[in-house]
Amino acid sequence: MFITFEGLDFSGKSTQAKLLVERLRQQHSIVHFIREPGGTAISERIRDILLDKQHLEMSDTAEILLFSASRAQLVTQAILPALMRSEIVVCDRYCDSTTAYQGYGRGLDLDAVRSINALATQSTSPDLTVLVDIPVDEIELRKSKAGLSFDRMESSGREFYERVRNGYKRMAAEEPARWIVVDGTEPIPQIQATIWKTVETKMKNQKVQHV
Ligand code: TYD
């Protein structure tokens, strides 16, 4: 079972991913929790290059290829072997982030993005993708409340985030069997319960298919 979490920065998706992993670990022996970009030694080094605030000159093409290089290593080294052993993999971001941020956000050609994603993931698609959706206004609010300094990606402007959000929504609408969209402005336990219900149903259905 392969589950991914997607959403804008500060959407709360990482919190929800963590809560899901904790719950799954109470019932299943092996649950891998991976964050993107990162998850292997090589991928973590690529992550540092990508998020470094000094790297303002990075071209959009270099950016997508670095995210994808990081993912290619992760898929080969960690995700595929775990799925082959029928273990559960939960990923905080995956190739839908690339479609949303580099495709819809930066405006790179969507067909090219699709090809790069297929290559990087060996066409390994999640069984379920959770989109934690929040309005861009809410991000601004959460950002200023947190009072943190931002990495290179998080310093992108408001219009960029609007495009990314709309891209996510479009992807979810195009593939409703794989995606669920949860309202990230709801209380954390409520969102968690909605996600858990969907995961349980997916798992039951998968078991039925394998019998
Ligand atoms: P991170 O600090 O992990 O953010 P978050 O906790 O919100 O996931 O940084 C990841 C940043 O990289 C985030 O701004 C989204 C962006 N990103 C892309 O632009 N493309 C991608 O393919 C991935 C995986 C992430």
Side-chain angles (χ1 to χ4, degrees):
M1 181 84 168
F2 183 19
I3 302 167
T4 58
F5 279 78
E6 294 288 349
L8 297 177
D9 312 74
F10 295 93
S11 60
K13 67 172 173 45
S14 304
T15 303
Q16 289 300 334
K18 207 170 122 232
L19 289 169
L20 176 66
V21 167
E22 280 167 12
R23 183 119 195 215
L24 283 168
R25 280 186 178 150
Q26 290 166 5
Q27 301 183 354
H28 301 268
S29 47
I30 306 181
V31 182
H32 301 268
F33 186 26
I34 294 166
R35 74 161 180 184
E36 269 228 36
T40 68
I42 292 173
S43 312
E44 289 292 337
R45 290 190 69 177
I46 299 175
R47 176 189 174 90
D48 291 341
I49 300 173
L50 276 162
L51 300 184
D52 192 329
K53 275 184 274 186
Q54 308 287 320
H55 293 165
L56 289 175
E57 74 280 25
M58 187 180 294
S59 78
D60 292 350
T61 311
E63 182 179 279
I64 191 174
L65 293 175
L66 282 170
F67 275 118
S68 303
S70 161
R71 181 170 306 124
Q73 188 61 34
L74 181 67
V75 168
T76 305
Q77 197 180 324
I79 297 179
L80 273 178
L83 293 176
M84 297 286 192
R85 294 188 299 264
S86 301
E87 293 162 4
I88 297 175
V89 177
V90 177
C91 228
D92 185 354
R93 296 196 182 280
Y94 191 55
C95 62
D96 298 307
S97 281
T98 298
T99 312
Y101 281 76
Q102 281 66 53
Y104 287 101
R106 301 272 191 239
L108 291 180
D109 178 67
L110 287 175
D111 284 331
V113 174
R114 247 171 243 128
S115 303
I116 293 170
N117 280 344
L119 181 70
T121 62
Q122 300 178 46
S123 298
T124 308
S125 182
D127 300 295
L128 174 69
T129 299
V130 180
L131 171 58
V132 182
D133 181 51
I134 54 165
V136 176
D137 281 342
E138 181 68 24
I139 307 184
E140 305 280 324
L141 216 80
R142 291 183 187 186
K143 265 186 178 181
S144 58
K145 259 196 202 156
L148 303 166
S149 72
F150 303 129
D151 64 38
R152 191 183 61 84
M153 292 303 298
E154 286 164 353
S155 305
S156 305
R158 193 196 160 87
E159 296 76 32
F160 173 79
Y161 279 112
E162 289 290 1
R163 290 197 298 275
V164 174
R165 183 184 185 211
N166 290 333
Y168 269 135
K169 283 185 169 173
R170 186 182 287 196
M171 286 189 272
E174 280 169 1
E175 234 186 311
R178 170 161 76 92
W179 290 75
I180 61 156
V181 183
V182 295
D183 179 352
T185 62
E186 282 182 351
I188 291 174
Q190 201 169 315
I191 303 173
Q192 187 191 2
T194 308
I195 295 171
W196 182 246
K197 228 168 92 189
T198 310
V199 169
E200 266 193 321
T201 311
K202 271 266 175 199
M203 288 197 155
K204 272 187 205 136
N205 290 346
Q206 261 204 351
K207 266 194 200 133
V208 170
Q209 276 169 16
H210 288 150
V211 170

